[in-house]
């Protein structure tokens, strides 16, 4: 927030204190309200927010009442209700930090494991997921997101690819349309976003349509109004048509190429002015030659950078001179600014004619004089001075100039942009007037293009809310898709959410692992069943805090509709999730660590209901053990009386002996330990308790405090003295309390378990290889259609199946392709299920992250490439990025856009029993077939591979 906004929030807090009568020096007066026109502080702060952020005066806000109880979301006056009015409380700051939703030192970041930036998630998508975690959605929204995740991971090749959604921040759309500052690239992105949303909602596959329709629910919640499929599709189609009527078609097809051209041109503006003024012959443009001498083999400076809206090729006018004066070309459709463009072209023809009549004869005369002279000197030529945006003669000697003037040629010294005469340049008054007229016409045309874009923004005024909804849908769909793909790779699964009013069905999770640990067997999974409050005990370093954090985070993920790190999960829909893991003192507030604990407990008990989930770790360790034990028992009774469910982990074993008045739903569990025998160097045997990191029923009264101190490197003499003093402590406690409360064992210890020391490995990055097309251009090839490539892939796949079955029957052979079907059982339906297609503007579904694929790419210019991968979406995006990068460096602009458009066909190969080896064998067979058919392949080196071992292939 701005400084003004922070000040006004401070005024509201001051007003609240005054209302309670603790206003200090002000004494509860009217001072806190005097900055507002309205007496209501809430209305006053909303007015400030609207003014500070240029919002309409009637902009609606969602008011979340902190004390309104479950389902307290209430829309402000005039605002429409969202998908549901029963939304859980937002997470408290302490809960969000302890669960890793907000970055906290030593706590694993939840967002980085749910949707990491390495998965290609845009910032807007990660911001949405974090917002979802901070404020879980209503039940119907969570189920809608969960259904979308499930559908995305169940897509098959027969369902086709999904459109590639463009993520454009809604705030950017609102600002640029409101201020009329949108560029042609912005409108191209806007059109692409609207088109992708429309195609998703109108997809041929019923599963993809179901995903889109499901995600309209969270979209409605986010934008604060109902969003239905028909109106959104119609709005997107209308916006596309409006943009297409103004923005040039080539920009809509390839905004990146146009943007790269603009960046290249703008980057030159930073060159040294003096060096540009003192240009040498070796840096002059090849396009400074006359137009009739140019050819199709000119350098990139003379390339057709304007594409379809190219200016006429005129004598003596180099392309860079035109490019610097006409950067607006190709941004809008020619007919939109036809009059302005015609004026520019007419002025350019006049300039060409003036140069041809006044300066061209001078060039010819000096060239003839230089041919007959024995003295070598720099040849006179027509120079393009970029700093002064002019065309002047250079290297014309004074004697030659005066001779020409005497012969009637009206030569003069031109002036630079500062009005200073340049003594070593020459021009004529007619050429200067024509150049001025051309530059003025070009500036006017640029203004006409800007006016057309401003008019386009105005024409989209009626669609702003729908475009914001479409941008929100695009960000949510991208976030959900990337999360589903990432979770599928990590072995996470969807959960089942219970109904809102179901407070009796047990909450169960099978094979739950902490979210920051891999599910490859290195982390110990746990089965968790929660019917009420579980009192969890266990020694230090046995995993109590880890189990609490893992269970709480799994419940949070489930209530957001996201995947959880468990095989199965049945989770209640909570109205509030509270996690109190640890506390420190607060010197600014004058509170000790125990006072902070009690403040958090007070807030927790005020909001807890039978639908709440509560997780408390090490309550009472900030004070004396006996009193901490008593308060811990009282809190357990209060939670049970409220009907809440959750876990209460403690080292205060005296809680287990207290006569608590609790229901049968309060159960006891412990972290399992086993006894091990260690042999020292002197052959002595030491018995130790080692944790198994499993949760089992029962109770544990051993803290292993001394053993943990030894393991952490505390000096042996200190540990020995502690062991000697422990007996005295226990005796004193029994004497003081008569044995009613157990010892102070483990009061200040903290459970800091790491279930595995093995870090999560980074996945291997696969990069696409590409070779220069020009090096293969001499080879006689024939371009194949995508249908031909699909047929070749399917036939080779079927042939491979038959060959593998024959080999398996004859020998117990070297390669098991992993197919269990009998020979010749593969029919057309099976192939259709396995062979898929991804179009030019599409991307594979999230389920592709679980496939081993053999794919064949085809660029629009005819070149093809065959490969295999375990991540088709990432590999395809790498190919497209490489194509865009190579295209931007091409001098041949005619085929530039064609080389960046890539479609592909692919076939999925099972990963079981050597699927990777089978995929590589299929890849080599397809490459050899395409080579034999003279298909233009970018690379055929993998065709030499004929033998693969299943053991080493994986």
């Amino acid at each position: 927030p701005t400084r003004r906004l922070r000040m006004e929030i401070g005024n509201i807090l001051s007003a609240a204190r005054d209302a309670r009568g603790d206003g200090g020096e002000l004494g509860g007066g009217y001072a806190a309200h005097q900055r507002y026109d309205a007496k209501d502080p809430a209305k006053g702060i909303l007015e400030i927010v609207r003014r500070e952020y240029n919002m309409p005066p009637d902009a609606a806000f969602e008011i979340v009442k902190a004390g309104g109880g479950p389902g307290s979301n209430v829309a402000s006056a005039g605002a429409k209700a969202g998908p549901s009015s029963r939304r859980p409380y937002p997470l408290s700051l302490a809960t969000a930090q302890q669960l890793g939703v907000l970055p906290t030192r030593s706590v694993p970041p939840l967002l980085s494991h749910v949707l990491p930036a390495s998965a290609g998630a845009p910032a807007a998508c990660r911001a949405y997921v974090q917002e979802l975690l901070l404020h879980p959605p209503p039940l119907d929204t969570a189920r809608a997101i969960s259904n979308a995740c499930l559908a995305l991971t169940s897509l098959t090749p027969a369902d086709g690819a999904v459109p590639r959604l463009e993520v454009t921040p809604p705030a950017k759309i609102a600002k640029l349309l409101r201020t009329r500052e949108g560029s042609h690239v912005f409108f191209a992105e806007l059109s692409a976003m609207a088109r992708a949303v429309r195609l998703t909602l109108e997809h041929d596959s019923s599963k993809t349509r179901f995903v889109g329709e499901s995600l309209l629910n969270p979209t409605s919640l986010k934008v604060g109004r109902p969003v239905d499929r028909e109106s959104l599709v119609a709005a997107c189609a209308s916006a596309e048509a409006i943009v297409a009527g103004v923005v040039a078609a080539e920009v809509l097809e390839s905004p990146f190429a146009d943007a790269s051209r603009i960046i290249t041109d703008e980057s030159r503006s930073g060159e040294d002015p003096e060096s540009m003024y003192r240009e040498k012959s070796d840096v002059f443009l090849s396009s400074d030659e006359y137009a009739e001498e140019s050819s199709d083999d000119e350098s990139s400076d003379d390339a057709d950078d304007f594409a379809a809206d190219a200016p006429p090729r005129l004598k003596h006018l180099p392309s860079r001179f035109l490019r610097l004066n006409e950067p607006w070309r190709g941004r809008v459709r020619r007919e939109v600014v036809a009059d302005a463009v015609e004026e520019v072209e007419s002025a350019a023809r006049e300039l060409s004619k003036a140069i041809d009549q006044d300066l061209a004869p001078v060039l010819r005369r000096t060239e003839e004089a230089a041919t007959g002279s024995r003295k070598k000197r720099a040849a006179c030529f027509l120079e393009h001075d970029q700093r002064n945006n002019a065309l002047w003669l250079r290297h014309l000697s004074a004697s030659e100039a005066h001779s020409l003037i005497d012969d009637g040629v009206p030569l003069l010294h031109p002036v630079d942009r500062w009005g200073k005469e340049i003594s070593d340049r020459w021009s004529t008054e007619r050429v200067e007037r024509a150049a001025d007229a051309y530059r003025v016409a070009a500036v006017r045309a640029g203004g006409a293009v800007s006016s057309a874009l401003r008019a386009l923004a105005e024409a989209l005024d009626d669609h702003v809310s729908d475009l914001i909804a479409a941008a929100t849908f695009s960000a949510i769909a991208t976030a959900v898709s990337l999360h589903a793909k990432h979770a599928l790779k990590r072995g996470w699964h969807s959960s089942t959410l219970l109904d809102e009013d179901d407070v009796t069905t047990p909450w169960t999770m099978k094979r739950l692992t902490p979210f920051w640990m891999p599910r490859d067997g290195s982390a110990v999974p746990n089965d968790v069943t929660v019917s009420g409050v579980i009192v969890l005990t266990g020694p230090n370093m046995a995993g109590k805090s880890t189990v609490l954090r893992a269970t709480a985070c799994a419940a949070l993920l489930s209530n957001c509709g996201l995947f959880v790190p468990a095989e199965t999960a049945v989770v209640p829909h909570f109205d509030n999730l509270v996690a109190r893991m640890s506390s420190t003192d607060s010197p600014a507030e004058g509170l000790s660590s125990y006072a902070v604990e009690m403040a958090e407990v007070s807030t927790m008990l005020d909001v807890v209901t039978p639908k709440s989930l509560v997780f408390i770790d090490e309550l009472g360790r900030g004070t004396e053990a006996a009193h901490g034990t008593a308060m811990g028992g009282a809190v357990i009774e209060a939670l049970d009386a409220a009907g809440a469910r959750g876990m209460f982990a403690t080292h205060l074993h005296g809680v287990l002996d207290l006569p608590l008045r609790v229901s049968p739903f309060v159960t006891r569990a412990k972290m399992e330990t086993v006894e091990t025998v260690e042999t020292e160097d002197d052959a002595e045997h030491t018995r130790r308790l080692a944790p198994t990191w499993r949760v089992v029923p029962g109770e544990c009264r051993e803290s292993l405090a001394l053993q943990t101190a030894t393991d952490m490197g505390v000096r042996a003499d200190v540990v020995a003295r502690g062991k000697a003093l422990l007996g005295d402590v226990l005796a004193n406690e029994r004497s003081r309390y008569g044995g009613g409360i157990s010892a102070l064992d483990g009061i200040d210890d903290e459970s800091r378990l790491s279930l595995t020391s093995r870090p999560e490995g980074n996945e291997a990055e696969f990069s696409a290889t590409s070779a220069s097309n020009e090096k293969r251009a001499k080879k006689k090839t024939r371009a194949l259609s995508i249908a031909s490539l699909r047929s070749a892939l399917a036939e080779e796949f079927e042939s491979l199946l038959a060959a593998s079955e024959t080999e398996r029957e004859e020998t117990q052979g070297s390669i098991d392709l992993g197919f269990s079907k009998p020979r010749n059982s593969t029919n057309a339906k099976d192939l259709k299920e396995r062979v898929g297609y991804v179009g030019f503007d599409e991307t594979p579904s999230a389920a592709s992250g679980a496939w081993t694929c053999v794919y064949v790419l085809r660029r629009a210019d005819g070149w093809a490439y065959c490969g295999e991968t375990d991540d088709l979406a990432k590999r395809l995006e790498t190919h497209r990025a490489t194509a865009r990068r190579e295209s931007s460096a091409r001098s041949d602009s005619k085929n530039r856009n064609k080389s960046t458009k890539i479609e592909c066909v692919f076939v999925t190969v099972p990963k079981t029993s050597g699927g990777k080896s089978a995929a590589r064998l299929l890849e080599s067979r397809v490459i050899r077939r395409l080579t034999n058919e003279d298909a233009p392949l970018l690379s055929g080196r993998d065709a030499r591979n004929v033998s693969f071992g299943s053991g080493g292939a994986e």
Side-chain angles (χ1 to χ4, degrees), residues 444-667:
R444 288 175 179 170
V449 171
S450 298
S451 298
L453 293 176
R454 286 194 294 270
L456 174 58
E458 185 176 356
L460 290 172
D461 273 346
D462 294 337
H463 297 78
V464 171
S465 60
D466 292 314
L467 289 173
I468 290 176
T472 303
F473 173 89
S474 184
I476 292 175
T478 302
V480 170
S481 177
L482 291 175
H483 163 71
K485 177 182 175 182
H486 179 70
L488 192 66
K489 287 182 177 180
R490 298 199 63 191
W492 293 16
H493 298 85
S494 65
S495 62
T496 301
L497 276 174
L498 299 174
D499 293 335
E500 285 182 322
D501 298 328
D502 190 345
V503 296
T504 59
T505 302
W507 164 20
T508 60
M509 291 186 179
K510 300 296 184 182
R511 298 189 64 78
L512 171 69
T513 57
F515 67 83
W516 62 93
M517 296 183 181
R519 293 181 58 82
D520 57 2
S522 57
V524 177
N526 273 295
D527 294 342
V528 178
T529 301
V530 183
S531 297
V533 177
I534 296 178
V535 180
L536 181 63
T537 53
N540 285 287
M541 298 295 290
K544 296 187 303 299
S545 298
T546 297
V547 170
L548 257 70
R549 183 173 282 115
T551 307
C553 287
L556 176 61
L557 292 172
S558 178
N559 274 262
C560 293
L562 305 176
F563 282 28
V564 297
E567 274 191 6
T568 61
V570 178
V571 183
H573 183 261
F574 56 73
D575 62 6
N576 195 12
L577 189 150
V578 181
R580 203 221 66 80
M581 307 292 287
S582 63
S583 298
T584 59
D585 62 343
S586 179
E589 298 176 281
L591 299 178
S592 67
S593 59
Y594 181 71
V596 172
E597 286 185 49
M598 292 300 102
E600 293 176 353
V601 168
S602 172
T603 302
M604 175 185 64
L605 295 179
D606 285 342
V607 298
V608 69
T609 71
K611 299 178 183 178
S612 300
L613 305 184
V614 181
F615 299 87
I616 300 178
D617 188 22
E618 304 294 350
L619 181 69
R621 65 179 179 179
T623 189
E624 186 265 335
H627 294 83
T629 299
M631 281 304 302
V635 170
I636 293 175
E637 288 185 346
L639 295 177
D640 179 62
R645 284 182 277 189
M647 292 184 175
F648 186 98
T650 183
H651 274 298
L652 300 177
H653 302 143
V655 171
L656 303 174
D657 300 321
L658 293 177
L660 300 179
R661 295 181 296 217
V662 294
S663 70
F665 295 104
V666 175
T667 59

Side-chain angles (χ1 to χ4, degrees), residues 228-307:
D228 62 275
R229 175 180 175 275
E230 290 75 14
S231 62
L232 187 59
V233 168
C236 289
S238 177
E240 286 181 69
I242 293 174
V243 174
V246 177
V247 179
E250 192 168 67
V251 177
L252 296 177
E253 294 173 1
S254 181
F256 304 103
D258 191 81
S260 66
R261 191 194 83 198
I262 296 171
I263 293 171
T264 301
D265 293 341
E266 291 177 349
S267 64
R268 295 187 59 83
S269 63
E271 295 184 9
D272 178 33
E274 293 298 325
S275 65
M276 296 185 69
Y277 188 80
R278 302 190 306 267
E279 288 183 323
K280 298 182 180 181
S281 59
D282 59 346
V283 297
F284 288 149
L285 304 176
S286 61
S287 56
D288 286 326
E289 303 295 332
Y290 298 145
E292 67 265 25
E293 297 176 2
S294 64
S295 65
D296 293 338
D297 295 326
E298 291 179 276
S299 70
S300 59
D301 290 321
D302 219 10
D304 184 9
D305 289 318
F306 302 100

Side-chain angles (χ1 to χ4, degrees), residues 8-337:
E8 298 300 341
I9 292 174
N11 288 335
I12 289 180
L13 297 177
S14 176
R17 289 193 296 269
D18 294 342
R20 292 197 303 265
D22 54 352
E25 296 179 0
L26 296 178
Y30 180 69
H33 299 280
Q34 62 186 2
R35 297 180 181 274
Y36 303 121
D37 296 333
K39 292 185 178 181
D40 183 0
K43 292 182 179 179
I45 192 64
L46 294 182
E47 290 176 3
I48 294 293
V49 171
R50 292 187 183 100
R51 287 198 298 267
E52 290 289 327
Y53 291 95
N54 296 321
M55 301 175 68
D58 58 347
F61 288 85
E62 180 187 15
I63 300 177
V64 180
K65 295 184 178 179
S72 60
N73 289 13
V74 180
S76 62
K80 296 181 179 179
S84 173
S85 60
R86 305 186 67 180
R87 187 173 186 177
Y89 284 103
L91 299 187
S92 67
L93 176 62
T95 299
Q97 290 176 332
Q98 289 302 319
L99 298 187
V101 180
L102 294 178
T104 308
R105 180 177 175 268
S106 76
V107 177
L110 180 59
L111 180 62
S112 296
H113 292 83
V114 174
L115 187 62
S118 59
C125 298
R126 301 189 76 228
Y128 172 75
V129 173
Q130 186 176 44
E131 178 183 335
L132 201 66
L133 295 171
L134 288 171
H135 194 183
L139 177 61
D140 56 340
T141 303
R143 285 176 171 171
I145 295 175
S146 178
N147 292 336
C149 288
L150 271 176
L152 284 169
T153 55
S154 65
L155 292 175
T156 64
D159 294 311
V162 296
R164 185 169 54 182
L165 293 165
E166 298 289 339
V167 179
T168 304
K172 175 182 177 182
I173 294 176
K175 177 182 178 181
L176 293 182
L177 291 180
R178 183 178 69 251
T179 59
R180 310 289 192 257
E181 295 178 355
S183 66
H184 60 296
V185 176
F186 163 73
F187 286 111
E189 293 175 353
L190 192 66
S191 178
M193 181 271 296
R195 179 176 181 271
V197 171
R198 177 177 58 81
L199 292 178
T200 300
L201 295 174
E202 294 182 329
H203 202 275
D204 294 336
S205 169
S206 59
K207 288 184 181 179
T208 305
R209 290 197 306 273
F210 173 76
V211 170
E213 292 169 359
S214 298
L215 294 181
L216 289 177
N217 186 297
T219 301
S220 300
L221 179 67
K222 177 65 176 173
V223 301
R225 65 178 182 86
V227 179
D228 62 275
R229 175 180 175 275
E230 290 75 14
S231 62
L232 187 59
V233 168
C236 289
S238 177
E240 286 181 69
I242 293 174
V243 174
V246 177
V247 179
E250 192 168 67
V251 177
L252 296 177
E253 294 173 1
S254 181
F256 304 103
D258 191 81
S260 66
R261 191 194 83 198
I262 296 171
I263 293 171
T264 301
D265 293 341
E266 291 177 349
S267 64
R268 295 187 59 83
S269 63
E271 295 184 9
D272 178 33
E274 293 298 325
S275 65
M276 296 185 69
Y277 188 80
R278 302 190 306 267
E279 288 183 323
K280 298 182 180 181
S281 59
D282 59 346
V283 297
F284 288 149
L285 304 176
S286 61
S287 56
D288 286 326
E289 303 295 332
Y290 298 145
E292 67 265 25
E293 297 176 2
S294 64
S295 65
D296 293 338
D297 295 326
E298 291 179 276
S299 70
S300 59
D301 290 321
D302 219 10
D304 184 9
D305 289 318
F306 302 100
D309 189 24
R313 306 285 297 192
L314 298 174
K315 200 174 184 180
H316 311 300
L317 301 186
S319 67
R320 182 168 294 186
F321 176 73
L322 298 176
R323 181 167 63 248
L324 292 177
N325 284 281
E326 304 176 29
W328 39 263
R329 279 195 181 269
R331 297 184 179 181
V332 301
R333 299 177 69 90
R334 184 183 178 92
E335 58 268 24
V336 176
V337 290

Side-chain angles (χ1 to χ4, degrees), residues 676-695:
T676 61
V677 179
E678 296 184 358
T679 302
E680 305 293 342
D681 294 338
D682 55 0
E684 294 183 0
H685 298 286
T686 303
R687 294 183 177 274
R688 293 171 55 93
L689 288 177
T692 64
W693 301 297
R694 296 187 184 277
V695 180

